[in-house]
Amino acid sequence: MSDQLPDHRRLGRELGLFDTDPLMGAGLPYWLPDGAVVRHTLEEYVRERERAAGYRHVYSPALGKRELYEISGHWDHYRDDMYPSMRPGPAESDELVLRPSLCPHHALIYRSRSHSYRELPLRIAELGPMYRAELSGVLGGLTRVRAIQLNDAHIFCTLDQAVEEARAALGLIARAYADLGIEAVRHRLSLPGEGGKYVAGAELWSRATALLRQALADAGVPYEEAAGEAAFYGPKIDVQIADPAGRESTLSTVQIDFHQPARFDLHYIGADGTRHRPVMVHRSVIGSVERAVAHLIEVHGGAFPAWLSPVQLVVLPVAEEQAERAAAVVREAVALGLRAELAGPGQGTLGARVRAARLVPYQAVIGAREADARLAAVRLRDGRRPGALPVADLLHRISGRVAARGTALWE
C-alpha cells in the first residue's frame, strides 16, 4: 500500500469529482457529476441546518456597484485582491465589481425594510458566489480558487443578543463537523496586529473582542489568540482544520461587527420608540464549499459518510439470471431517494465489481437464493457482512442511516 498522503487534487480526478481546463482559467475548477452530487448534498445539508436554527435564506447579485464596496470598506482595504471594476455605461457611477464578500449585500437587504426590536435577531443566510483575484502561484485544487461558493450568514441583533448568537453559531459549526466527520484542531480568536489595515475605532474593537471571548467561554471552547489575523473591520473566531500533512487552514468563522452597521446606517426601532443601531454577527458554518469538499475528500479518502456519498448503494447480481431482480432493487432504492446503481455481470467478475465499488457504503449481492427469497447479501464498505436481509428491510435501514446524517454505517 502506498504511503502517499491523501491529496484532494489527485483523488478528485481519480474519483471523477472535479477537474480543470486551461481554457477555463487557473483557479476555476468545474464539477463532474459525482462531485456535483457531493456539493449539492453538502449545500442542502447546510440550508436544512440553518432553517432549523431560524435562518431565512436570500439570493443577492454577484455584482455590485463600486460605491457599495467603498461604503463597506472593502474597496479601500481589499481592492488589491478584487477584480478590476467594469464600466457597462459611460458614467463613472456605472462601475460594477465582482463581489469579494456577501456582507455588504446582506446589509442592503436588511436596510431595505424597517425593523422593530421584536423581529430581532434577524438571521439572513445565503450560499452565494464571490470572487477573489488570487495570484496564480497561490492557487491549488479546490482549496484556493478564484470563484468561491460561500456559505455565509449575517445576524442582525441587539447588543444583548450578540453573545448568544455567536455562541449558537459555534454550536451549529460543531454539529456540522460531527455529521461530516471533520475535526477542528483548534479555535483561534483573531485580533488586529501591528501595521495592518484595519478600520478605526479602538473602543468598538475592544467591545467586539470582549463579546467574542464571552461567547467562547459560554460555549466551553478553549482557544488561542492570534494577533494580525483579524478581518479589517473586526475581530473573529476562526475554526482551524488541518490537512493530512498537518497544514492548517480556516474553514469556519464567527465575527461580531460594529463597523458595517454604522457605515450603512442600519437601525431598528427599540421598545422606547427610538432608533437603535443593531450589531452584525457574521458566521460561516462550512465557509467555502470548495475548501470544505477538498477537506472531506482528504479526510475520508473518497469514502464519504453514507449520506454524502455520490453512490450510496450498489446492487450486484451474481449472474445474468439475477440481473432483472437486481434492477428492480435499484428502482426501489431510487424511489426511496437513495443514490443506487446496478453493477451487472457485463462489468466483470463479481470480485472485480466488488473491488470497483469499494468506496460505496453499501453493497447488495443477489444470487439465485437471494433472488428467489427477495433477499440481498449485504456487504459494508468497512468489511463487515451483516448477512442476507429482506430487501425492504435493507433499504429501510440504509434510508435511516442516510437520514440520520452521521458517520456510522450500521447500528
Side-chain angles (χ1 to χ4, degrees), residues 318-396:
V318 173
E320 195 61 46
E321 290 75 16
Q322 292 90 48
E324 185 175 340
R325 175 64 196 136
V329 172
V330 170
R331 290 193 294 271
E332 290 177 51
V334 171
L336 290 173
L338 297 174
R339 296 188 287 273
E341 292 184 356
L342 177 69
Q347 296 173 246
T349 66
L350 179 61
R353 286 178 279 147
V354 166
R355 289 190 295 275
R358 68 191 182 283
L359 297 180
V360 177
Y362 305 101
Q363 298 181 3
V365 179
I366 298 179
R369 184 179 71 85
E370 288 82 12
D372 291 342
R374 297 183 64 83
L375 299 172
V378 184
R379 295 168 180 250
L380 305 184
R381 181 176 58 202
D382 59 15
R384 286 179 287 169
R385 298 190 183 189
L389 294 176
V391 168
D393 291 351
L394 172 62
L395 298 184
H396 176 75

Side-chain angles (χ1 to χ4, degrees), residues 66-346:
R66 171 177 161 175
E67 181 184 2
L68 170 61
Y69 307 108
E70 290 174 338
I71 293 171
S72 71
H74 286 84
W75 186 258
D76 288 341
H77 293 271
Y78 204 62
R79 62 179 166 222
D80 290 343
D81 298 309
M82 294 170 62
Y83 282 101
S85 58
M86 298 168 277
R87 188 174 295 175
E92 187 173 329
S93 61
D94 293 330
E95 286 187 58
L96 296 176
V97 179
L98 285 167
R99 66 178 173 195
S101 177
L102 276 66
C103 44
H105 294 244
H106 290 184
L108 294 185
I109 289 172
Y110 177 88
R111 197 176 72 175
S112 68
R113 303 287 187 274
S114 61
H115 299 281
S116 162
Y117 71 97
R118 294 184 179 90
E119 299 173 61
L120 306 184
L122 178 63
R123 307 178 185 99
I124 294 176
E126 182 174 4
L127 272 156
M130 67 177 198
Y131 303 88
R132 301 281 173 87
E134 303 277 15
L135 297 175
S136 59
V138 302
L139 299 171
L142 297 177
T143 57
R144 199 75 176 261
V145 294
R146 287 170 169 161
I148 303 161
Q149 190 74 7
L150 186 68
N151 159 231
D152 207 7
H154 298 91
I155 304 160
F156 302 89
C157 62
T158 68
L159 180 61
D160 290 343
Q161 295 168 334
V163 168
E164 173 54 25
E165 289 301 313
R167 186 210 60 77
L170 289 170
L172 196 59
I173 292 167
R175 170 66 186 274
Y177 281 28
D179 289 347
L180 291 164
I182 295 175
E183 181 180 355
V185 295
R186 65 188 177 108
H187 288 69
R188 184 179 73 193
L189 180 58
S190 296
L191 305 173
E194 295 293 331
K197 293 177 65 177
Y198 303 104
V199 298
E203 190 274 332
L204 294 181
W205 277 87
S206 178
R207 185 189 298 182
T209 301
L211 293 174
L212 289 177
R213 285 196 179 108
Q214 186 62 53
L216 287 161
D218 290 353
V221 175
Y223 65 94
E224 302 170 11
E225 297 189 3
E229 298 294 338
F232 73 84
Y233 50 81
K236 59 193 174 87
I237 298 169
D238 291 321
V239 185
Q240 299 295 101
I241 59 172
D243 68 12
R247 293 182 293 259
E248 276 195 25
S249 60
T250 302
L251 188 61
S252 312
T253 61
V254 181
Q255 306 166 46
I256 289 181
D257 177 13
F258 293 102
H259 169 72
Q260 292 195 63
R263 292 294 292 257
F264 286 100
D265 192 25
L266 306 183
H267 64 270
Y268 65 91
I269 304 301
D272 59 2
T274 65
R275 289 164 39 126
H276 297 263
R277 185 82 68 206
V279 178
M280 194 171 175
V281 179
H282 306 236
R283 60 106 283 233
S284 183
V285 174
I286 59 166
S288 156
V289 172
E290 290 80 6
R291 179 173 291 180
V293 173
H295 188 67
L296 289 168
I297 292 170
E298 294 183 348
V299 165
H300 299 295
F304 298 105
W307 64 272
L308 198 57
S309 183
V311 179
Q312 294 163 329
L313 168 68
V314 65
V315 184
L316 305 105
V318 173
E320 195 61 46
E321 290 75 16
Q322 292 90 48
E324 185 175 340
R325 175 64 196 136
V329 172
V330 170
R331 290 193 294 271
E332 290 177 51
V334 171
L336 290 173
L338 297 174
R339 296 188 287 273
E341 292 184 356
L342 177 69

